[in-house]
Amino acid sequence: MSELFEAVDALVASRAPLPSAEERKRLRQAHGLTLDDVAGALKVRRATVSGWESVRKPVEPRGPEREAYARLLNKLAELYPAPAAVPAAMSAVLTAEPAPSERTLPTEPASEPVLTPEPENTTRATASTPSTPATPATPAGQAARRPARTAGSTPPSHRPGVRRTAPPGRPADGTDPRFENGPLAVVDVEDGQVLAYCTGGLVLDVPAKNIPALVEWTLNEARLGQPRLSGPGKDADPLLVLTEAALKRYGLPVALTDEERLAGRIPEGHKVVKQLTRADWKLTKRGFGPWARIYRPAQGSERTCVQLCIPSWHALDTRHWGAAAQLPPADLARVLSVYASRVMTPRGSTAVTGLELMTALHPPTRASEPDAEGKRHSEHNPGSLGKDPVDCAPCEAPDGHPLLADLPRFHVRGPGEKLFEEAYDWARPLTDAECTRRYLVGIDVNMAFAAGANGLIVGLGAPTHVKRPVFDPKLPGAWLVDLSHVDLSRVKAGKDTWVELDAGLLPSPFTPNGDRPQGPAWYATPTVAYAVELGYDVRPIEAYVRYENGRYLDGWYNRLRDAYLATMADLGVRADMEPADFLAAMDGYREHDPQLATVVSAIKATVKGGLGKLRERPRGEGWRPGEPWRALSRPTWRPDIRAAVISRTRINLHRKMVKHAAFTGQYPVSILSDCVVYAADGTSPLDFLPYRDGKPLPGGFKLGINPGLVKHEGTQTVLWGEEVRDRFDAPELNLARYIKDGTVTDTDNGE
C-alpha cells in the first residue's frame, strides 16, 4: 500500500504547479540551503538549480527532478509560509534625510529590516518584509534598495532614501558599516531605471542623472568600498562598472574609436569630462579611459575618489577575464566581487592590480609615534620599498635605460653585461627509447611564480657595488660569476652523496634556453646558490648586492595563494585530495562554475602580471632610448625583484627534474616556463610520476592544487610530436607550447 501512496504522490508532484522563481529562492534561503546543497540532494548541477530560480529566464524542471523538487518546495512551504505583503500606507513613512559624510554614518537600528545578500548569484534582491514591519526612517546616507520583482512587471518609482529589504544571510557583525554593500557595483539600466548590482545579489536604485552626480551618490550614499589590507594602508576606493546601457544613459560612447583606443581615453573636450570639471572633479593623468579615476584632492586622511571600469572599452582583457564583459550585470558583479574580496578591488588590469596589491600589503609610510606635542608624522614603513624610487644596477637595467645612455647605439650586451633571468624555453629531440613510448604527457606547476616568491629574500633598498665578494646565499643581488664548470653529469644529492646523470638530456639551470654557460655571466642570488647546492665552488668577480632586504613578497604570496585555493575549493578541487581524485576533479572543473573559473584565471594573471610590472618597459609616450619613462618614477619599478623570483622559479623546477631523473632515469623532452613534457607509456601523469603507496618522490613532482605542486597539462601521442616537428623541419620544436590541446597552426614555426 505504501508503494501505491508513493506513486500517487509522485504523480501529483509531476503535474503540480511550482511556485514562482522568487518564491523558490525564498524557500531555499529561509531553510539556510545553498544552491550546492539542493543540487547535491537532487543529483543535478548547481547551474541547473540556479536556472530554476532565475527571475529573468526561469527554467522549469522536468522528469524525476521535478517530482523531487516539488516535494522539497512543498515541505519548505509548510515550514516557511509566505509573509504578508507590506501595507501600501506603510511605504509613505519609509523615507530618509539627505546623507552626511561617510565618516558620520550612523549604525542601523536593531528594529530595521536587515539587508542580507546571499552568496549565490541573483538578478534581483528578494523582498522579505515581516508581517508587522517596523517603520523607522532609514538612517541618513542609506542608498535605496531595489526589491525583487518578476519579469515584465512595472518597476517601482524611485524614492531617494527608501530602504528596501534584501535576501537573508548578511552577517550581522564583522562588516564595516562604511562598506556594507561591498567593494563595487555594476551599474545598468533596466526599464528606464538605473540600477547598481552589488555583492551577493543586492541591487540598489541609483538616482544620479549624470556622471558627477553618480560619483557623489557613490561616495555619500552607496556605501561601497573595501577596508585596508594593512594597518598603515588606505581603504580601497569604490569601483563602479558601467554597462553599455549605463554608458548610453550617461552620455558616454559604447565603444572607443581607433584614435581613442590608441590614446587610451576619450578627448578632454568630451561633454562628460567637461561636466566633471565644472563640478570640481579631477581625472588622473590617464584621463577618462577604461579604468578612469575621478577624485578631489584629499583633505587630511579623507579620500574622495571613485574608480570606473568600462568593459566595452576593453577594460577586462579577454586573455585573463574570458567573456566576463558579456555577462549579465548580476553575474559580472559576482565575478568581480569574488575577486575583490579574495584579492583586492581591481585597480586596472590584472597586472596593475598585482602590483598595487604589493603596495597595499606593504604601504611605503606609516604614522610615527606621537612627538612631544602629541602629533604624529609620516615615516618610512619598515619592510616596504619606501615612497621614493631607487636606481637599479647597470646589469639589471633593460636595454634603453638611462643608465645605458653612454653605450654605442647598436651595442648588444652579452651575459657578462646583462642580467638575463627568464623562464625556460627549451626542448630537445626524442631519444630512441622515448620514441618507443606512446605518449607525451605535460605537467604544469600550479602558480609557479607565486611559489617562487614564497619566502624569497629580496632587496628593499639601493644596490651596493662590491668587487671580489664572497658569495652569500642569503644576500639578494646580482653576481658576475663563471658557472661554466658546473657539470650536470655528476651532482650532489646529499651531504656526501653524488649521483650520475645524462647531462645531454637535461637543460642547464643557469640559462633560459638550457645551454651551458660559456663564461662569466650575471646571475641572481638563487641561481648562484643552486650551483653551490649542486656541489660546486663559486667565485664571483663582482656583485651588486642589497644589504637592506626582507621577505617583501610573503604577504602578497599568501593573499594570492589563499584566493586561488579558496576559489578552486569552490570549484570542487581541494588541497587534501588523493592524486587520482585530484586529476579527476581537475578534469572539467571549469564547467562546474564558469564564473568562478574566470576568477581563477584572473588570480593567476594577477601573479604573472604583477611580477611583470616590476620591470615595465616604455609604452609609447614618445620615448627614445636613453630617456627615462614613466614607470621608472615608481618605487615598485624593481627589475631585481622580478629577476630573483624568476630565477628561483626556474631553479625550483630544475631541482625537481634532477630528483626525478636520478630516481627514475626519465628526462624532460621540452619545457616552456612552468610546463614540463615527459614521454610515457600512458596518458596520465601517474603513468610516469613515481608514487609509492600514494606518496610522491621526496623533492620531486607532486600532484596537487597547492602552489608549487603540479597538475595535468595535456597529453598527445609521440607520433603527433614527431609529425609536428617534421612539418616545421624543427627537431627541437618546443612541444610544451602545444601539449595542452595539440593545436598547431601553420604560422607556428618555433622561432
Side-chain angles (χ1 to χ4, degrees):
M1 184 66 68
S2 61
E3 294 181 357
L4 292 177
F5 288 163
E6 291 177 1
V8 170
D9 289 344
L11 183 62
V12 172
S14 66
R15 297 294 187 272
L18 298 179
S20 67
E22 293 175 347
E23 179 65 7
R24 300 172 194 177
K25 174 182 280 188
R26 186 193 71 80
L27 292 171
R28 173 177 61 79
Q29 292 173 342
H31 201 60
L33 300 176
T34 66
L35 292 174
D36 289 326
D37 293 336
V38 177
L42 301 183
K43 295 180 170 33
V44 296
R45 295 188 307 132
R46 180 184 188 278
T48 301
V49 181
S50 179
W52 294 344
E53 296 182 358
S54 174
V55 176
R56 288 189 174 183
K57 295 181 179 180
V59 178
E60 291 300 311
R62 298 178 180 178
E65 291 82 8
R66 180 187 174 89
E67 299 173 14
Y69 191 46
R71 188 185 301 271
L72 171 66
L73 294 176
N74 287 337
K75 294 291 185 182
L76 294 178
E78 294 175 3
L79 296 173
Y80 309 99
V86 180
M90 301 299 294
S91 63
V93 298
L94 295 177
T95 56
E97 298 292 330
S101 67
E102 78 171 31
R103 287 195 173 273
T104 59
L105 292 176
T107 57
E108 295 182 357
S111 59
E112 187 153 345
V114 179
L115 299 169
T116 51
E118 63 168 11
E120 294 85 18
N121 173 43
T122 64
T123 56
R124 194 67 100 242
T126 305
S128 179
T129 308
S131 56
T132 57
T135 61
T138 302
Q142 190 60 232
R145 313 293 173 92
R146 188 177 183 84
R149 59 186 179 87
T150 57
S153 62
T154 303
S157 60
H158 174 73
R159 296 190 298 275
V162 174
R163 171 176 290 271
R164 314 270 175 79
T165 54
R170 190 179 195 89
D173 53 12
T175 301
D176 192 322
R178 298 172 301 159
F179 313 128
E180 66 172 346
N181 294 332
L184 55 89
V186 178
V187 181
D188 190 32
V189 180
E190 182 179 332
D191 298 333
Q193 175 64 56
V194 182
L195 306 175
Y197 291 79
C198 304
T199 302
L202 180 67
V203 186
L204 310 181
D205 287 331
V206 181
K209 303 299 183 183
N210 52 46
I211 291 294
L214 180 64
V215 174
E216 295 279 3
W217 172 83
T218 303
L219 292 170
N220 296 328
E221 298 184 48
R223 291 192 178 181
L224 297 173
Q226 190 174 35
R228 65 195 68 183
L229 298 179
S230 175
K234 299 176 181 178
D235 298 327
D237 299 319
L239 173 65
L240 297 181
V241 184
L242 304 184
T243 67
E244 294 185 9
L247 293 175
K248 294 177 182 178
R249 168 62 67 92
Y250 291 122
L252 290 165
V254 172
L256 298 178
T257 65
D258 292 340
E259 182 179 355
E260 291 169 344
R261 189 167 61 253
L262 289 174
R265 68 191 74 184
I266 59 177
E268 293 184 4
H270 193 280
K271 65 177 183 179
V272 172
V273 178
K274 291 181 177 179
Q275 289 174 356
L276 290 168
T277 302
R278 287 195 298 268
D280 295 326
W281 290 104
K282 298 180 180 295
L283 293 165
T284 57
K285 290 182 179 180
R286 60 183 173 186
F288 204 119
W291 289 94
R293 298 187 69 80
I294 304 171
Y295 73 100
R296 285 180 180 142
Q299 301 294 327
S301 62
E302 189 77 16
R303 287 173 59 82
T304 309
C305 181
V306 172
Q307 178 162 303
L308 303 183
C309 167
I310 306 178
S312 65
W313 293 6
H314 305 290
L316 301 176
D317 193 327
T318 55
R319 294 172 298 174
H320 310 140
W321 291 102
Q326 281 72 51
L327 289 174
D331 294 339
L332 179 56
R334 179 196 181 213
V335 168
L336 294 177
S337 294
V338 171
Y339 178 88
S341 65
R342 293 178 177 176
V343 181
M344 70 179 298
T345 303
R347 295 290 301 273
S349 66
T350 50
V352 169
T353 304
L355 195 68
E356 291 288 341
L357 180 61
M358 297 180 194
T359 303
L361 294 168
H362 286 286
T365 60
R366 68 178 184 182
S368 67
E369 293 296 325
D371 58 17
E373 298 178 357
K375 295 182 179 180
R376 296 179 183 269
H377 307 277
S378 177
E379 66 177 12
H380 173 69
N381 184 26
S384 74
L385 298 181
K387 62 179 182 179
D388 298 317
V390 297
D391 288 334
C392 63
C395 62
E396 297 166 348
D399 294 338
H401 192 279
L403 288 176
L404 311 175
D406 294 335
L407 290 178
R409 182 176 180 183
F410 297 106
H411 177 74
V412 178
R413 294 186 296 161
E417 299 172 280
K418 179 181 180 180
L419 177 68
F420 191 65
E421 294 283 11
E422 298 294 341
Y424 268 127
D425 188 350
W426 171 87
R428 62 170 176 81
L430 272 67
T431 64
D432 292 342
E434 289 167 341
C435 287
T436 63
R437 299 182 182 272
R438 296 184 61 186
Y439 298 102
L440 297 172
V441 183
I443 53 177
D444 179 79
V445 181
N446 295 313
M447 301 271 284
F449 295 100
N454 181 30
L456 179 65
I457 300 176
V458 299
L460 301 178
T464 300
H465 188 214
V466 183
K467 288 285 190 179
R468 299 291 177 184
V470 176
F471 177 69
D472 182 352
K474 297 182 180 180
L475 188 59
W479 309 79
L480 180 62
V481 59
D482 189 351
L483 299 181
S484 59
H485 64 289
V486 178
D487 184 5
L488 291 181
S489 63
R490 187 172 184 271
V491 298
K492 203 170 185 179
K495 185 176 181 180
D496 298 311
T497 305
W498 292 75
V499 296
E500 305 290 334
L501 299 172
D502 189 338
L505 301 181
L506 275 174
S508 168
F510 309 127
T511 60
N513 60 10
D515 293 342
R516 187 169 180 170
Q518 299 301 310
W522 286 98
Y523 302 102
T525 297
T527 302
V528 185
Y530 187 55
V532 176
E533 179 184 326
L534 293 176
Y536 293 87
D537 293 331
V538 296
R539 297 179 181 177
I541 301 169
E542 60 178 306
Y544 287 91
V545 296
R546 287 173 165 82
Y547 293 110
E548 182 187 356
N549 54 66
R551 295 170 59 160
Y552 174 72
L553 295 174
D554 275 10
W556 184 80
Y557 162 78
N558 290 332
R559 180 83 176 173
L560 290 166
R561 175 205 60 195
D562 293 347
Y564 176 69
L565 293 180
T567 311
M568 290 301 296
D570 290 341
L571 288 166
V573 185
R574 303 185 310 278
D576 58 351
M577 286 181 156
E578 294 297 320
D581 295 336
F582 166 72
L583 291 174
M586 287 295 295
D587 186 16
Y589 77 92
R590 291 183 173 274
E591 284 69 35
H592 182 77
D593 190 328
Q595 293 176 16
L596 287 183
T598 297
V599 176
V600 170
S601 297
I603 293 171
K604 293 193 290 186
T606 303
V607 173
K608 291 186 177 181
L611 293 172
K613 277 282 185 179
L614 291 170
R615 199 192 67 163
E616 184 177 358
R617 302 302 305 277
R619 305 179 65 183
E621 306 168 3
W623 174 82
R624 293 182 179 180
E627 297 178 349
W629 58 92
R630 184 182 301 175
L632 299 185
S633 63
R634 295 193 319 246
T636 50
W637 192 84
R638 294 295 301 271
D640 57 298
I641 296 180
R642 173 186 178 274
V645 173
I646 294 176
S647 164
R648 191 165 188 241
T649 302
R650 193 182 66 246
I651 294 306
N652 286 346
L653 185 60
H654 195 275
R655 185 181 292 110
K656 288 180 171 60
M657 293 188 295
V658 167
K659 292 280 187 181
H660 185 85
F663 187 79
T664 67
Q666 299 171 336
Y667 294 83
V669 172
S670 60
I671 312 169
L672 183 66
S673 187
D674 48 8
C675 175
V676 188
V677 176
Y678 283 89
D681 291 323
T683 61
S684 167
L686 289 174
D687 292 316
F688 71 92
L689 293 182
Y691 272 80
R692 289 186 175 180
D693 299 325
K695 296 182 179 180
L697 172 68
F701 295 109
K702 178 182 179 181
L703 290 167
I705 198 58
N706 279 302
L709 306 189
V710 299
K711 63 179 182 294
H712 184 204
E713 179 69 4
T715 297
Q716 305 297 329
T717 65
V718 169
L719 291 177
W720 164 87
E722 293 300 280
E723 185 275 329
V724 170
R725 287 178 164 177
D726 288 343
R727 187 196 314 173
F728 295 114
D729 192 22
E732 296 183 2
L733 181 72
N734 196 333
L735 299 176
R737 181 173 281 107
Y738 317 108
I739 195 71
K740 187 168 188 176
D741 58 12
T743 301
V744 184
T745 64
D746 291 336
T747 58
D748 292 325
N749 57 14
E751 296 181 1

